[in-house]
Amino acid sequence: MPASMMTGRRSSRIASAALLSLSLTAAPVLTAVPALASEGSSPSTSTSPSATPPARMSTVGGERLGRPGTQVELGSDAPVLPKDITARSWIVADAESGEVLAAHNAHWRLAPASTLKMLFADTLLPKFNRDEEHKVEPSDLAGIGSGSSMVGVKEDETYTVHDLWLGVFLRSGNDAVHVLAAMNGGIEQTVKDMNEHAEELQALDTNVVSPDGYDAKGQVSSAYDLTLFARSGLQKKDFREYCSTVRAQFPGETEKKKGKTTRKSFEIQNTNRLLTGDLDVDAYQGIAGVKNGNTTNAGATFTGVAERNGKVLLVTVMNPEKDEHNEVYKETSRLLDWGFKAADKVEPVGELVPPKGAVIEASPGASAAPSPSVSGADGRPAAALVHGGSSGIGTALAIAAGVLVLLGGAVFLVHRRWPLPELMRRRR
């Protein structure tokens, strides 16, 4: 299809999304319950979210995405969706065009667990140089929830920003999140920044209470919003590097013996099982990130990006009902497999909207125009996306050349090739 036709088709869908935005239903009331040790959740008070999605949800991205149940428009030769998908909410989208190939309760506002760290990273990554050093104060680690996942940050030790981001992405370390939040002016300021950035991205299902994703009353997101966070983050080189890193060295404690001071490091490995593999799940061919999460209240959550044969897909899965080990990864794998087979054989049921005020460039040399405004019924606005990121070492995967960037903080390039890690390409 010519670029001009693609641009016109996309502009029409964006305008439709803007006109069809409906009221966001009230966030389900949450209660913190005892958490799985891998991620962390408070044993304080709460109620579980409803077992069924609301009848009316946001229509940001298209009217069909606001409907409960599965939304898909199969062509005559398109493969059927896998039948063994039990997640409460999921979405399959083309990462570059933004087309939503299929979705199930895409705007259901649920507890996100540590997948919320994608928004944390996308918000804070541009604020600090990766080589900047910070000595951890005891106050930096105050207020970390009981049972939280930790990377092993110690007070009175000095870490680079690069070290801390490795702790966030690989080990989902709430301690690393709290230190970076302290560097950003504290938890309250960071929560404010994250909520504002969510609005900029038009992620209007999201309400941040705790920046690390730790269960908290009123903290919600959706499969749609988590996919927006991943898509925005993946346009930052550092984000791509960290989320695709399989293993790395993390600084340990300083030791003094016989007048000599030494500080050894220890290995940390990514908890994303589609990246590393596990006993009952293989590393997914073409996977290149993004982030997993798990608490008792949220269940298992995951957003993944993968590339095969020039196609880049994003899949988000929230809270599979099937209680099997690594089920969230198994369901993500099945949806990715379906997406790669169905990509050119289905009619999109919606789209991933760009940030408000962003300029869309359909292809190199194409004319760009501002996108229309999209907001929920509460009228929350969104502003232009901020860009950032820097290069560096510490990843087990080589980042390809030709980095996709946001120009001047106001251009959102969604049709150009993303330089995903070459090793992931070779796994196809």
Side-chain angles (χ1 to χ4, degrees):
M1 181 182 295
S4 58
M5 293 180 63
M6 292 176 62
T7 305
R9 178 184 175 191
R10 178 175 175 79
S11 299
S12 174
R13 289 198 307 271
I14 296 174
S16 297
L19 292 172
L20 290 170
S21 290
L22 297 176
S23 245
L24 295 178
T25 57
V29 178
L30 302 178
T31 9
V33 290
L36 299 179
S38 62
E39 290 293 339
S41 176
S42 165
S44 52
T45 69
S46 81
T47 70
S48 297
S50 170
T52 57
R56 296 180 64 201
M57 294 176 281
S58 167
T59 57
V60 171
E63 183 271 337
R64 289 191 64 172
L65 298 183
R67 302 179 191 175
T70 301
Q71 307 300 320
V72 66
E73 196 69 40
L74 299 175
S76 57
D77 57 346
V80 297
L81 284 164
K83 296 181 179 179
D84 48 354
I85 304 299
T86 68
R88 287 186 170 191
S89 176
W90 54 261
I91 191 169
V92 181
D94 185 307
E96 294 174 307
S97 72
E99 293 180 341
V100 176
L101 308 184
H104 180 78
N105 302 326
H107 281 291
W108 192 0
R109 303 176 81 184
L110 300 168
S114 282
T115 46
L116 194 64
K117 288 182 172 78
M118 293 187 294
L119 175 61
F120 173 78
D122 194 40
T123 304
L124 264 63
L125 263 171
K127 297 191 175 190
F128 307 109
N129 186 295
R130 62 191 285 137
D131 297 322
E132 182 177 341
E133 294 185 344
H134 177 79
K135 184 176 181 179
V136 177
E137 302 290 337
S139 59
D140 296 348
L141 300 175
I144 297 177
S146 174
S148 287
S149 52
M150 310 279 269
V151 67
V153 173
K154 302 297 181 182
E155 62 183 57
D156 297 324
E157 294 286 2
T158 298
Y159 300 87
T160 65
V161 167
H162 175 70
D163 294 330
L164 295 171
W165 282 121
L166 287 171
V168 171
F169 276 91
L170 273 66
R171 298 302 304 170
S172 204
N174 288 3
D175 47 356
V177 169
H178 276 246
V179 173
L180 286 163
M183 294 174 65
N184 187 55
I187 295 296
E188 184 177 349
Q189 180 62 49
T190 299
V191 168
K192 179 176 180 290
D193 290 347
M194 290 173 67
N195 279 319
E196 289 178 352
H197 191 47
E199 291 176 359
E200 293 168 0
L201 297 178
Q202 305 199 68
L204 304 182
D205 298 325
T206 298
N207 183 55
V208 180
V209 178
S210 178
D212 51 18
Y214 190 84
D215 284 342
K217 184 177 180 180
Q219 179 151 278
V220 289
S221 191
S222 66
Y224 184 87
D225 283 10
L226 293 174
T227 308
L228 290 182
F229 303 152
R231 190 178 187 223
S232 177
L234 285 164
Q235 296 193 60
K236 297 176 174 64
K237 186 176 180 180
D238 277 3
F239 189 104
R240 293 197 302 274
E241 175 192 332
Y242 292 129
C243 79
S244 65
T245 298
V246 176
R247 58 182 57 86
Q249 293 294 311
F250 193 81
E253 291 188 76
T254 299
E255 297 181 354
K256 293 183 179 180
K257 291 183 179 180
K258 299 180 179 179
K260 291 184 179 181
T261 301
T262 60
R263 189 181 187 189
K264 296 182 179 180
S265 60
F266 57 93
E267 185 176 278
I268 56 175
Q269 182 171 306
N270 204 308
T271 55
N272 174 356
R273 298 309 180 202
L274 290 191
L275 193 64
T276 65
D278 203 3
L279 293 175
D280 58 345
V281 62
D282 293 330
Y284 191 82
Q285 289 185 349
I287 194 72
V290 173
K291 189 70 187 74
N292 56 310
N294 200 326
T295 68
T296 301
N297 192 43
T301 61
F302 180 67
T303 297
V305 63
E307 180 187 13
R308 286 187 186 176
N309 301 319
K311 181 71 68 175
V312 184
L313 296 183
L314 277 165
V315 169
T316 295
V317 172
M318 299 186 76
N319 197 357
E321 295 181 2
K322 191 174 183 180
D323 186 20
E324 286 195 7
H325 187 243
N326 285 327
E327 182 63 23
V328 73
Y329 302 111
K330 296 172 184 177
E331 296 195 10
T332 299
S333 294
R334 290 192 282 268
L335 287 171
L336 281 168
D337 286 344
W338 175 84
F340 285 120
K341 294 175 183 176
D344 299 318
K345 301 174 183 178
V346 296
E347 185 67 21
V349 294
E351 70 166 354
L352 303 176
V353 295
K356 183 182 178 182
V359 176
I360 304 302
E361 186 172 61
S363 61
S367 60
S371 67
S373 171
V374 179
S375 62
D378 56 3
R380 292 192 296 165
L385 185 64
V386 179
H387 79 285
S390 59
S391 62
I393 59 174
T395 177
L397 307 172
I399 303 296
V403 176
L404 174 65
V405 296
L406 300 180
L407 305 179
V411 178
F412 194 72
L413 305 181
V414 293
H415 284 283
R416 291 186 177 177
R417 299 296 306 134
W418 286 4
L420 294 180
E422 288 296 336
L423 181 55
M424 294 299 96
R425 297 173 188 264
R426 293 197 294 271
R427 287 182 181 177
R428 292 196 299 245

